[in-house]
Structure formats: C-alpha cells, structure tokens
Amino acid sequence: HMVKEEQILFPACVALDAGATDRFPFGSVENPIGVLLHEHDEVAAGLAGLRALTDGYEPPVDACNSYRAMLARLETLEQDTHRHVHKENNILFPRVLELERSISQG
C-alpha cells in the first residue's frame, strides 16, 4: 500500500501541484486513488475484526502488564491508522482529484 502511495500517487500529486498537464501512465489519479480507497476499506475491516477479537482492547482482569501494553499499542495503531486514512480519504484525495480536473479543463 505504501509503495503505491510513495511511488505512484504522491509523485503524481506533486506533478499536478507543479501544473503538469501530461497524462500519467495509469491515466487519471482516480485509478490509483480507487485502489487505495479499496485497501483503506480492507484495513478498516481488519481493524474492526481486531477490535472485536480483543473485546475493544479491554484486557482481562488477570492480564499481565505486557498483554495490557500490547492491547494499548494495538488501540493506538487503530487510532493512528484511522487518522491517516481520514486525512487521505477526506482531504488529500478530494484535493488532488479537484486539482486534476481543474488542470484538464484548462
């Protein structure tokens, strides 16, 4: 996922921001964004499953400190991932799609 972002989408975002008008090998940025959105949905489902399996990251009463720490880190991972996905889905992706549209419309 990160390779797709770092090597495909983000360089396209930079090129669009610089005013590039030529087509990308993958066509519109809608194409890699669609793939990334699908992957974001898959990750969200996996995190929801992890939350369910861990009873909302609630440790059992007799849990040792390392188990408690693991659950706390998993919850932090979930929160960080949701924040990352939110920024891409709701801020970056709409902005780059609008930028591409405005450039293509001249």
Side-chain angles (χ1 to χ4, degrees):
H1 179 88
M2 292 180 71
V3 169
K4 292 173 194 161
E5 290 178 340
E6 297 292 332
Q7 294 183 3
I8 298 171
L9 183 62
F10 295 165
C13 293
V14 170
L16 287 169
D17 190 50
T21 57
D22 50 324
R23 299 288 291 172
F24 300 111
F26 48 79
S28 169
V29 291
E30 288 180 30
N31 295 320
I33 287 174
V35 170
L36 295 172
L37 287 170
H38 176 72
E39 290 177 359
H40 287 172
D41 290 343
E42 289 179 333
V43 167
L47 289 171
L50 191 58
R51 177 174 280 282
L53 287 171
T54 61
D55 195 26
Y57 306 110
E58 187 64 36
V61 175
D62 61 344
C64 66
N65 287 335
S66 60
Y67 191 81
R68 290 174 186 278
M70 178 206 52
L71 290 175
R73 286 189 209 118
L74 286 173
E75 186 170 27
T76 299
L77 172 70
E78 179 185 26
Q79 292 167 352
D80 290 348
T81 302
H82 284 306
R83 189 176 309 108
H84 169 87
V85 167
H86 165 75
K87 287 178 181 179
E88 287 186 351
N89 287 5
N90 299 301
I91 300 168
L92 176 65
F93 294 169
R95 285 183 184 175
V96 74
L97 288 167
E98 179 55 37
L99 180 59
E100 184 181 55
R101 283 185 203 105
S102 68
I103 289 172
S104 68
Q105 292 173 354

